[in-house]
Amino acid sequence: KIPCPAFIKDINSQFLYGNSLFIKAAGLNSLTELIGKTDHDMPWKKFAKKYQKDDREVIAKKLPKIDYDEKHQNHLIPPTSVCVSKYPLMNADNEVYAVLGIIADSRTSEEDEASLLNSIITHIPCYIFWKDKAGKFLGCNKQFAKSAGYKNPKSLIGKTDFDMPWKEQAAKYVQDDQSLIQSKKIRLDVEDVQTRQDGQEITALVSKVPLLNQDDQAYGVLGIYTDITERKKKEKMIEAASDAKSRFIANISHDIRTPLTGMIGLSQSIYKKTHDNSIKSDAKSLIMATNELLKLLNEVIEVVKIDSGDLKRKKEVFNLEALIHATMRLFQPSLDSKNIQCEFQYPKSLHKHFISYKTFLCRVLLNLVSNAVKFTGEHGQIKIIVRELTQSADISELEIIIED
C-alpha cells in the first residue's frame, strides 16, 4: 500500500521482501524470485557496493538514514536520481535484524512526501503516537486510535491520556513524558500496563523519544509500542511449569529417601548375618550403591532448591578422583550383569582436590556414565579419561571423557 518502491533486507543485504512496485522495478515477476537475491543481482548492480555500504551504516549506528539522494537504475528507466530512506528494524533485544528501504522519485512534491510518510505510519504494525509538552495528542496511527476506542486518528487530537480508557495509568505516563522532555534522552523497551476500551489490561513494550526543534529544544514526545501480552502469558506458563517440576522433584525425592534408608539398613543386616562370602560381597556392593543413590537424591534436592532460588549455587572442595570412583561404583551391578569392563584413567601428576560446583559435575557424570552403560553391549568396554588441558597458578582446565 506504500505508493513507491519499498524493500526489506537482512543484515547480509539479502532481500527478504519487496512490494509490487519494487518487484516490478527489479524486472521480476514475484516476491519468490526476489527473496535471497542481493543488489548485485539487480539491474542497478553498478551501484550495489554503495547501497550495501549504506545498509551497513544503518545497521552499525542503529539509526535511520533519511531522504538522501542516490543514483538508481532499473529495467524501465536509465540512471537517475532518487530520494532514499533506510530504517533499522530492531528485535526485542534492541538488535538490528533487517533494514527497511523506501525509494521515492527525487522530484516528489512535499504533498507526496507527506502522503508517503502518513501511509508508512498507518501501516506499520505497531501503536504510534506523538504529543506536545502539555501531554496533548498531536497525532497517532490507526492502530493506536482503535486501541483507544476511536474510529480515526483525528479524533484524538487535543485530548490527553486522562481522556483515554487508560486514565488510571495516565499520571504515570505524563510523569514519564515530562522526565523524557527534561532529559532529552531516549527511553527504549520499557514494559508498561495499559487498560483498553473493553477493560482488558495489556502489557506493552514501549519506546519513547523526545521531539526536538531546530534549537535542540524538546517540544513533545513520540512513542511507539507493541502488545506483548501473549508473550508474557507464555513466560508465566513456562515459569509455573518449572516451579511445578521443581516441587514434584523435591517431593518425590523426599518420599524415596525413606525406603532407601530402609534398604541400607536391611543390606547391612544381611552383610552382618551371612557367612557366605559371595553374599557378603553382593550385600557390600548393594550398601555402596544405595548410599550413592541416597547421596544423589540429596543432591537433587539441593539442585531443586538452587533452581527455585531457595539456595544459592556454591562451590565446594572435593576429591575429583574419588567422585568418579563413587560414580563408577554406583553402576557396578549393571556393569557386572552385562560383563562390561570399565577403565578409569587419572593422571598421576594431576591434583586430586579441586574447588568447583561438585553437585552439578556429579549430575553430568551420572548422566553420561548412565548412557554409556545403557548403550554398551555385552562384553563391551567403557573408559573414563581425565585430562588436564591448561594450568595456571590456581586454576586447572580439565577434560573428562566418557568413551563407550
Side-chain angles (χ1 to χ4, degrees):
K1 294 182 180 180
I2 295 175
C4 62
F7 60 86
I8 297 176
K9 301 179 190 176
D10 65 16
I11 57 174
N12 297 313
S13 290
Q14 291 184 326
F15 288 103
L16 300 174
Y17 171 78
N19 65 357
S20 58
L21 293 175
F22 185 83
I23 292 169
K24 183 178 180 181
L28 303 174
N29 298 313
S30 68
L31 178 60
T32 305
E33 293 180 16
L34 174 68
I35 293 174
K37 287 184 168 59
T38 71
D39 291 300
H40 291 283
D41 304 310
M42 300 297 161
W44 51 83
K45 58 186 178 183
K46 66 165 69 176
F47 307 117
K49 288 185 178 179
K50 174 67 170 64
Y51 293 173
Q52 292 183 356
K53 182 182 177 183
D54 295 337
D55 296 341
R56 290 192 295 271
E57 182 181 338
V58 170
I59 292 168
K61 294 182 178 180
K62 297 184 180 181
L63 293 172
K65 192 174 181 183
I66 300 173
D67 292 344
Y68 64 97
D69 288 332
E70 194 81 273
K71 287 291 183 182
H72 184 67
Q73 177 181 5
N74 61 43
H75 81 295
L76 299 173
I77 59 172
T80 186
S81 292
V82 293
C83 185
V84 181
S85 294
K86 290 185 177 179
Y87 304 83
L89 300 181
M90 320 281 277
N91 61 22
D93 296 323
N94 200 33
E95 296 295 329
V96 179
Y97 68 89
V99 173
L100 166 67
I102 300 166
I103 305 170
D105 191 317
S106 60
R107 296 163 294 180
T108 302
S109 66
E110 290 185 7
E111 289 80 6
D112 289 337
E113 287 182 3
S115 175
L116 172 61
L117 180 60
N118 183 63
S119 179
I120 293 169
I121 292 173
T122 298
H123 295 103
I124 286 178
C126 297
Y127 302 85
I128 304 173
F129 61 88
W130 49 103
K131 311 175 192 174
D132 64 15
K133 289 179 70 173
K136 294 180 180 179
F137 285 100
L138 299 173
C140 65
N141 67 348
K142 287 183 179 179
Q143 198 162 344
F144 183 86
K146 186 178 178 181
S147 73
Y150 292 87
K151 290 184 178 180
N152 61 75
K154 290 183 179 179
S155 302
L156 273 81
I157 295 175
K159 291 182 170 58
T160 71
D161 287 302
F162 290 97
D163 302 311
M164 301 296 151
W166 50 83
K167 56 187 176 184
E168 291 181 3
Q169 294 97 26
K172 180 182 181 302
Y173 295 169
V174 171
Q175 184 179 358
D176 291 342
D177 294 344
Q178 292 304 313
S179 174
L180 192 80
I181 289 169
Q182 291 172 15
S183 66
K184 294 190 287 188
K185 291 182 179 179
I186 296 173
R187 187 171 178 259
L188 295 175
D189 296 337
V190 177
E191 289 186 16
D192 262 335
V193 175
Q194 185 188 84
T195 303
R196 290 291 172 85
Q197 186 188 17
D198 58 3
Q200 177 192 5
E201 282 193 349
I202 68 156
T203 303
L205 191 64
V206 186
S207 294
K208 291 181 180 180
V209 296
L211 296 173
L212 305 176
N213 59 23
Q214 293 180 344
D215 298 323
D216 199 37
Q217 297 298 312
Y219 65 89
V221 171
L222 169 68
I224 181 169
Y225 66 88
T226 53
D227 184 347
I228 60 168
T229 306
E230 290 304 315
R231 190 179 86 184
K232 295 296 291 183
K233 285 180 181 178
K234 289 178 181 178
E235 288 175 358
K236 287 182 179 178
M237 288 173 63
I238 292 170
E239 186 178 341
S242 178
D243 289 343
K245 178 195 72 174
S246 297
R247 288 194 300 272
F248 171 77
I249 293 173
N251 291 335
I252 199 69
S253 298
H254 282 290
D255 292 341
I256 293 174
R257 191 189 306 185
T258 302
L260 271 179
T261 305
M263 288 172 63
I264 293 172
L266 183 60
S267 302
Q268 288 172 341
S269 177
I270 294 171
Y271 179 81
K272 290 176 182 178
K273 290 179 180 179
T274 186
H275 298 290
D276 187 315
N277 289 333
S278 177
I279 295 175
K280 268 188 178 292
S281 177
D282 288 345
K284 186 177 180 180
S285 295
L286 182 58
I287 293 168
M288 292 169 61
T290 311
N291 272 316
E292 290 299 327
L293 188 54
L294 187 58
K295 285 181 185 177
L296 173 61
L297 279 170
N298 290 331
E299 288 171 351
V300 167
I301 294 170
E302 185 176 346
V303 170
V304 170
K305 288 180 179 178
I306 292 170
D307 290 343
S308 63
D310 295 335
L311 187 68
K312 291 184 178 180
R313 182 187 275 200
K314 62 179 181 180
K315 293 181 179 180
E316 54 187 307
V317 179
F318 64 95
N319 185 317
L320 178 60
E321 185 179 32
L323 177 66
I324 297 175
H325 271 302
T327 304
M328 292 166 61
R329 284 198 301 272
L330 183 60
F331 292 97
Q332 195 60 51
S334 298
L335 295 170
D336 292 341
S337 68
K338 296 179 72 174
N339 236 334
I340 297 172
Q341 298 295 317
C342 189
E343 181 183 338
F344 178 32
Q345 298 177 11
Y346 193 94
K348 292 181 179 179
S349 59
L350 182 61
H351 294 290
K352 288 183 172 56
H353 289 88
F354 294 91
I355 301 173
S356 189
Y357 300 108
K358 177 189 172 185
T359 301
F360 297 93
L361 176 59
C362 186
R363 287 178 67 196
V364 174
L365 284 171
L366 285 167
N367 284 331
L368 294 178
V369 175
S370 175
N371 284 337
V373 173
K374 181 179 178 180
F375 295 108
T376 299
E378 298 278 344
H379 305 288
Q381 185 182 46
I382 294 172
K383 289 183 180 180
I384 303 177
I385 304 165
V386 179
R387 293 175 181 166
E388 186 173 45
L389 301 180
T390 62
Q391 182 182 16
S392 62
D394 56 354
I395 297 175
S396 290
E397 182 183 358
L398 306 180
E399 180 181 51
I400 301 176
I401 300 168
I402 314 296
E403 184 181 293
D404 61 52

